[in-house]
Amino acid sequence: MVNLSAFQKRRNELNLTYAQTASRCGRAESTVYRWLTGQSQMSVYDVVALAHALRIPFPDVVENLKNAVEGRAMAAEYRRSEAERSSTLKSASQADARHFVDMRRRAA
C-alpha cells in the first residue's frame, strides 16, 4: 500500500481541502477522501495524479511506489511460505495418521 501519510501531510501543508485536492487531480472529492483515508486503493496513475496535484517531486513518488511494491512482494512471499508450511504440516499429519493406523493393524 502507498504511504498515505506523506500525501495527507503534503495536503495539510498546502492547506487544501479534499475538494480542492480532487479538483487539482481531476477526480471526485469522495474518491480522494477514500484514497487518503485508506478506504480505497490507488492505481499507479492515481498516485501520479495525486502527487502532481500536491506538487510532490517525482523522485519521492517513485520511492513511495517502490516501497509499496516491495511491501506487497514481501507480503506475497510470506503468504506463499505460510501456505507451503501449512501444506507440509498437513502432509506430515496425514503421514503420522497413516503410521498410527499401520501400527495398530500390526499390533492386532
Side-chain angles (χ1 to χ4, degrees), residues 9-52:
K9 181 180 175 187
R10 183 65 177 149
R11 185 182 71 82
N12 291 332
E13 287 171 357
L14 296 173
N15 294 316
L16 294 173
T17 64
Y18 287 110
Q20 291 167 324
T21 305
S23 176
R24 285 181 170 207
C25 65
R27 304 298 195 278
E29 179 181 357
S30 59
T31 299
V32 171
Y33 176 82
R34 285 193 310 272
W35 289 344
L36 295 178
T37 57
Q39 297 175 25
S40 179
Q41 296 238 350
M42 292 184 272
S43 71
V44 172
Y45 300 108
D46 297 330
V47 170
V48 172
L50 184 59
H52 180 72

